[in-house]
Amino acid sequence: MAKFVLIGSGLAGGLLAAYLGRRGYDVDLYERRGDPREGNLVGGRSINLALSTRGIHALEQIGIANEVLQNAIPMRGRMIHEKSGLLHFVPYDADPNKFINSIGRAALNTTVIEAAQRYPNVRVHFNHRCTEVDINSATAHLLNTATTQLVASGSAVIGVDGAFSAVRQSMQRQIENFDYDESYLAHGYKELTIPPGPSGSWQMEKNALHIWPRKSFMMIALPNPDSSFTCTLFWEFEGPRSFATTRTNDDVRRFFNEEFPDAVPLMPQLLEDFRQNPTGSLVTIRCAPWFYRDKTCLVGDAAHAVVPFYGQGMNAAFEDCVVLDECLAEFPDDRQHAFAQYFQRRKQNADALADLAIGNFIEMRDKTASRVFRAKKKLDHFLQATFSGIYLPLYTMVTFTRIPYAEASKRARIQDRLVYGAIFCLLLIIGFIAALLARG
Ligand SMILES: Cc1cc2nc3c(=O)[nH]c(=O)nc-3n(C[C@H](O)[C@H](O)[C@H](O)COP(=O)(O)OP(=O)(O)OC[C@H]3O[C@@H](n4cnc5c(N)ncnc54)[C@H](O)[C@@H]3O)c2cc1C
């Protein structure tokens, strides 16, 4: 049986190790950080994430969806906060039983690692940082905490080591004409906290994803099981009003009082959080190919990091694990073909998701504030209910189905053309009739 060396035991690494372990493969999983169960929390990344249908499906296949969802908080729609303090709730779907789930990254990471460790053929090695991979011999070079150099060889090395993947960088160096593109948004993000209220109460609606849309920037908040909310401010790095120009406590206070007046009283740690928490960057990474012969392969953010505005990066990374597992099962004796098939099935969908995620940033920070947006959502839900199974809003296809991202995106474009075309024709007819009536 083949042996896989996996680099990175983040969200997808743990899950993929479980999938490969279940198939009977020998798996050695190397992670640069310490064991998350010993308090080595994932620093600098979002504390909570939205888990939806694709991710849940991947967890179900390995039998851990219920365990994960036990600690999830359903978010049934967006709660839009206007500057005036006025709130608008916009459901995610026409069906009130459809919702996304707020889950803690650290707990989820532990669950997937423990799922992998249930298989005796899976071994997890924490505190091992991969520095280089020889993609021809499927050999990973690693450094442990004592900075001792080690090598790990297998039939194949799989890079599940996130957006700044060392495995991908090795492929870039060693594969001629390796396609690589990274693009950063002008915005960064900072996490802030709304703690629980008196005696552990919720200070805002629990079952919603809160958004403070402010045109060129926004803040969002997701609920946590301890009744707190993790807020994320997405804001320009540079510019007259930006992270760069907001240096003193007074600057921070003034900005928040002007832009998020209803949130400020709920954020007693605002100044400390703002000072202490890092400002993260938002990158989209596209590359090709995602594999080299039958020796090296990329999964999750290592292959296709996307900006977080569709809440799909992890969901897509989990979907990668399902597809790679299917391909290995379909072509058990030809791993190169299995890798090639996996790449072919996923690449166009990852590219489509990258575009959708950037598009949704504009929708969230700008359009959600407008009446037109709320009217469009109502129209979407009306059409979905009226033409059940025929009309599916884009958000529904991406979040509540497993329709491939590229197909969902294409179908939504066609639907939009038909709907707007029909509205245009209707308006023409109404105008024509009105003109006839006016003539007498
Ligand atoms: C602010 C923010 C909010 C987000 N919200 C959502 C959301 O709501 N829903 C959603 O689906 N997605 C969300 N995402 C995206 C999601 O976090 C990623 O898509 C997901 O974590 C990808 O999983 P991964 O396993 O590929 O990478 P990661 O989770 O980044 O894991 C990579 C692992 O590899 C390890 N590693 C890295 N380099 C090395 C090395 N050289 N050697 C050994 N180990 C290494 C890392 O320590 C890490 O454990 C969000 C992202 C951000 C930044």
Side-chain angles (χ1 to χ4, degrees):
M1 202 66 170
K3 175 185 164 185
F4 287 97
V5 172
L6 264 55
I7 306 297
S9 77
L11 299 178
L15 188 68
L16 183 62
Y19 270 91
L20 297 174
R22 187 180 59 168
R23 291 238 171 256
Y25 294 114
D26 234 7
V27 179
D28 275 303
L29 173 55
Y30 292 93
E31 164 61 44
R32 71 174 171 193
R33 293 197 167 100
D35 189 333
R37 289 159 294 192
E38 291 163 12
N40 301 293
L41 296 180
V42 196
R45 303 296 302 277
S46 59
I47 290 165
N48 51 21
L49 307 110
L51 173 70
S52 51
T53 298
R54 295 165 202 269
I56 294 171
H57 171 77
L59 297 170
E60 271 166 357
Q61 301 309 297
I62 210 83
I64 54 172
N66 288 342
E67 195 182 327
V68 170
L69 289 171
Q70 260 172 21
N71 300 315
I73 299 175
M75 298 183 287
R76 298 182 188 281
R78 294 159 162 166
M79 185 67 83
I80 312 295
H81 294 241
E82 286 190 10
K83 263 195 208 178
S84 65
L86 214 64
L87 299 178
H88 305 278
F89 181 74
V90 184
Y92 277 127
D93 198 82
D95 175 354
N97 294 318
K98 296 246 172 72
F99 50 81
I100 58 176
N101 299 276
S102 175
I103 44 150
R105 184 185 287 268
L108 178 60
N109 205 168
T110 298
T111 308
V112 291
I113 290 171
E114 287 179 348
Q117 286 180 323
R118 282 180 206 144
Y119 299 95
N121 42 326
V122 176
R123 294 162 295 275
V124 186
H125 313 270
F126 294 105
N127 298 308
H128 282 74
R129 184 167 66 84
C130 174
T131 52
E132 177 73 41
V133 172
D134 178 352
I135 61 170
N136 274 299
S137 61
T139 303
H141 296 262
L142 302 142
L143 278 180
N144 65 13
T145 35
T147 58
T148 309
Q149 293 191 13
L150 306 152
V151 288
S153 295
S155 318
V157 174
I158 304 194
V160 213
D161 49 346
F164 303 100
S165 167
V167 180
R168 188 188 63 233
Q169 284 166 25
S170 299
M171 289 170 75
Q172 263 177 278
R173 280 190 288 271
Q174 295 168 52
I175 299 176
E176 230 179 284
N177 301 326
F178 184 83
D179 255 3
Y180 180 72
D181 181 66
E182 66 177 25
S183 60
Y184 286 87
L185 289 189
H187 295 68
Y189 71 93
K190 193 181 279 290
E191 295 203 329
L192 307 159
T193 314
I194 293 182
S199 57
S201 59
W202 293 91
Q203 301 217 61
M204 302 188 295
E205 166 58 46
K206 167 189 178 186
N207 295 116
L209 189 151
H210 294 261
I211 310 180
W212 289 258
R214 297 294 181 262
K215 296 227 176 273
S216 72
F217 61 91
M218 69 172 175
M219 183 165 80
I220 65 167
L222 272 71
N224 296 312
D226 68 353
S227 309
S228 67
F229 288 84
T230 302
C231 306
T232 312
L233 170 66
F234 296 96
W235 199 18
E236 286 97 335
F237 275 115
E238 305 284 339
R241 260 172 118 221
S242 64
F243 281 118
T245 54
T246 307
R247 296 209 182 88
T248 65
N249 283 348
D250 277 350
D251 293 341
V252 176
R253 230 181 267 123
R254 194 176 318 116
F255 170 65
F256 273 79
N257 282 332
E258 276 171 20
E259 298 297 340
F260 314 116
D262 63 334
V264 173
L266 314 178
M267 303 172 90
Q269 302 151 233
L270 171 63
L271 298 178
E272 290 84 346
D273 281 353
F274 198 91
R275 227 186 1 257
Q276 285 162 14
N277 294 350
T279 310
S281 54
L282 297 163
V283 66
T284 301
I285 286 172
R286 299 172 203 252
C287 67
W290 294 356
F291 70 104
Y292 177 72
R293 299 192 177 150
D294 61 346
K295 298 293 185 200
T296 314
C297 192
L298 299 173
V299 169
D301 275 16
H304 52 75
V306 297
V307 293
F309 306 108
Y310 231 112
Q312 284 294 313
M314 162 194 62
N315 289 284
F318 282 179
E319 203 169 46
D320 284 353
C321 299
V322 176
V323 175
L324 180 56
D325 178 63
E326 280 167 7
C327 293
L328 288 167
E330 270 176 56
F331 310 102
D333 304 319
D334 189 350
R335 198 171 46 251
Q336 176 165 345
H337 193 59
F339 286 170
Q341 275 295 310
Y342 153 73
F343 173 58
Q344 200 196 321
R345 291 178 199 182
R346 294 301 289 161
K347 171 65 177 160
Q348 56 174 335
N349 291 312
D351 286 345
L353 174 60
D355 295 338
L356 287 171
I358 288 173
N360 217 40
F361 183 31
I362 299 160
E363 173 163 320
M364 286 175 84
R365 71 175 201 219
D366 190 352
K367 298 190 182 149
T368 52
S370 80
R371 285 210 182 98
V372 177
F373 169 82
R374 293 198 291 275
K376 164 90 171 66
K377 286 286 157 196
K378 280 192 182 139
L379 176 67
D380 262 354
H381 294 168
F382 168 77
L383 292 171
Q384 185 185 359
T386 312
F387 303 104
S388 168
I390 300 169
Y391 184 92
L392 282 175
L394 177 60
Y395 189 87
T396 297
M397 287 191 273
V398 169
T399 310
F400 301 123
T401 77
R402 292 194 296 121
I403 297 171
Y405 294 117
E407 197 183 316
S409 178
K410 193 172 153 202
R411 196 167 148 180
R413 277 196 300 275
I414 296 170
Q415 285 180 170
D416 273 357
R417 258 182 243 141
L418 288 174
V419 170
Y420 292 124
I423 292 174
F424 181 70
C425 290
L426 200 68
L427 290 176
L428 270 185
I429 292 167
I430 292 171
F432 185 66
I433 293 171
L436 279 182
L437 290 175
R439 263 199 212 165

